[in-house]
Amino acid sequence: MNFKMKLFCISVFASAIFLSISAQSSNCLDDFDLHDIQSYTYRIPNSDQQKDPHFWDHQQLNYYVFGKFGTSTGTGHKETKITAGVYNDDKLIYETEIDCTEKTYSNRILNRKSQVEQIFQGKLDTSCTAGEPFDLILKVNNFNAMSWIFNAQALQYGVKEFRKRLLNVKTAVRGDTFEKVAYVYGLKRPLTKVNSKYHAYLATKFVVKASGNARFDRLVFGQCNAWPKGMESRCQDVRTWLHARSKANLTESTLKEHLKNFPYDVNVTRGLGVFGNNRLVHNPLCITPKYFHFQQTLIHPDRNIPMTQDLRSMRAYCCCTNMKTGQVLNDDPANNCQFSPQCLAGTVSCQRAFDRTIAVEISRELERLEEQEEEEDKEKVSDPLKEHVDTESKLAAVLHENNTDWSTGVLGENIQP
């Protein structure tokens, strides 16, 4: 059987497992347009402290705001600034201010003495370019661990190593099961805690403001990945955009290894490490640069997936998706999403999401590539499409990576070294 037939058989029977997310956002609670405004106050869902003060505790949260700069961002009638922050009612928790005129940023908290205190400041890597879009993300990792990201730049700095104590780790010895305390060493986290008077999970609202030529056009909240609109049939562009804001921390050597499994990632950046948004395993893996795979196996988890002490666990969703948009098929997660372990067990079928029109297009592209190889004196040319036929062994490696940065999903206690 030639490669094209193998590709189609693998697709039809869903034996190849791929990562992906939707075309604009994946599993988010809210995603709505703001229609070019300069201020907005978003009431955080389930933040009523009287009803359930611990609703969001220990959950990773993502706040996104998208916008665009007007035709001019220079000095003039009013300087251009962007401010965003989370509040406990009217009491500041953590905010950032982007000063486009001075090309700087500053982050502030309300400290334990009820005084506004600046804890980070620095220069922007890029200018606020007239006519260009911008994005601002707040990633909540834990009570006092939050990170601002502006146009793929981390607005924080300083890293330290720590060890993590895993509670009640089960081990088998000669047929008997015992529980013991285990440690994982060499993990990294931000050097400076966001020691606000009110921690991240006491936030009741997210406030964004702009002046000058900055305008907001979209806001997203949840435990999820989100990216700019207008990226349908651009799966690799979505992946590259998310990678630049992710927790990836690639070096020259690890990038080479990364490209062996993900050959389309030739344009990805190093990533933001501990200051990044979500882990790399939740980014889309594309069957071609245009198209998402129809069965997505590691969509970002939410609070409905229980926390666990099992290091081999898969805290993620598996969803049947539209191959062009990457959105959950028919926008119906109730009937098209399951927990990821069910995909590995073979109990989930997404044949209904397989787009045969796209398959024909891919087949023709493969024919073109094969003809091109023949024209080049039969010189062997690496074909990214062939290298994207996944295997269960590759999935196992991904699952291992899914639990190596300890940023979510594994219960334990952080211990200072």
Side-chain angles (χ1 to χ4, degrees), residues 391-402:
T391 63
E392 289 191 2
S393 62
K394 285 186 178 180
L395 177 60
V398 170
L399 300 182
H400 175 73
E401 178 187 355
N402 194 33

Side-chain angles (χ1 to χ4, degrees), residues 142 162-165 187 189 406 412-416:
N142 215 317
F162 72 103
R163 67 177 182 174
K164 189 183 188 78
R165 185 171 71 187
L187 303 176
R189 64 181 176 195
W406 310 99
E413 180 180 350
N414 293 338
I415 306 296
Q416 297 285 347

Side-chain angles (χ1 to χ4, degrees), residues 154-337:
L155 305 185
Q156 292 173 217
Y157 40 82
V159 176
K160 64 180 177 182
E161 289 190 353
F162 72 103
R163 67 177 182 174
K164 189 183 188 78
R165 185 171 71 187
L166 303 175
L167 305 179
N168 302 323
V169 177
K170 293 183 178 181
T171 183
V173 178
R174 296 179 181 178
D176 295 325
T177 300
F178 301 90
E179 291 187 351
K180 68 176 184 179
V181 175
Y183 293 90
V184 180
Y185 296 87
L187 303 176
K188 295 180 179 180
R189 64 181 176 195
L191 177 64
T192 303
K193 287 186 176 181
V194 182
N195 281 322
S196 178
K197 184 175 181 178
Y198 304 95
H199 62 69
Y201 300 121
L202 292 177
T204 59
K205 62 183 182 181
F206 179 57
V207 180
V208 294
K209 297 179 181 179
S211 62
N213 289 287
R215 299 287 191 278
F216 303 117
D217 55 33
R218 182 169 163 230
L219 188 144
V220 182
F221 171 76
Q223 297 174 267
C224 59
N225 268 325
W227 54 92
K229 288 187 174 183
M231 300 183 78
E232 294 79 3
S233 296
R234 294 171 55 191
C235 180
Q236 183 58 38
D237 288 342
V238 171
R239 177 178 171 83
T240 301
W241 191 95
L242 289 169
H243 187 117
R245 293 151 178 82
S246 75
K247 282 186 166 68
N249 191 16
L250 299 179
T251 64
E252 184 176 348
S253 60
T254 57
L255 176 59
K256 290 180 180 179
E257 291 299 314
H258 177 84
L259 290 176
K260 291 179 182 179
N261 292 322
F262 306 102
Y264 291 140
D265 281 358
V266 291
N267 295 318
V268 299
T269 60
R270 176 179 176 178
L272 301 180
V274 296
F275 302 114
N277 187 33
N278 292 327
R279 290 182 296 170
L280 192 60
V281 294
H282 299 305
N283 287 1
L285 187 149
C286 312
I287 193 168
T288 73
K290 287 179 63 176
Y291 299 120
F292 297 82
H293 198 271
F294 59 88
Q295 181 169 282
Q296 322 303 335
T297 62
L298 290 175
I299 291 177
H300 196 282
D302 59 24
R303 69 187 303 277
N304 294 318
I305 301 182
M307 292 290 187
T308 178
Q309 294 173 351
D310 185 352
L311 305 185
R312 299 165 298 176
S313 66
M314 296 173 58
R315 292 195 70 250
Y317 285 105
C318 172
C319 299
C320 303
T321 62
N322 183 298
M323 295 177 70
K324 293 181 180 179
T325 68
Q327 293 176 337
V328 175
L329 188 65
N330 301 323
D331 293 322
D332 183 9
N335 292 310
N336 290 293
C337 293

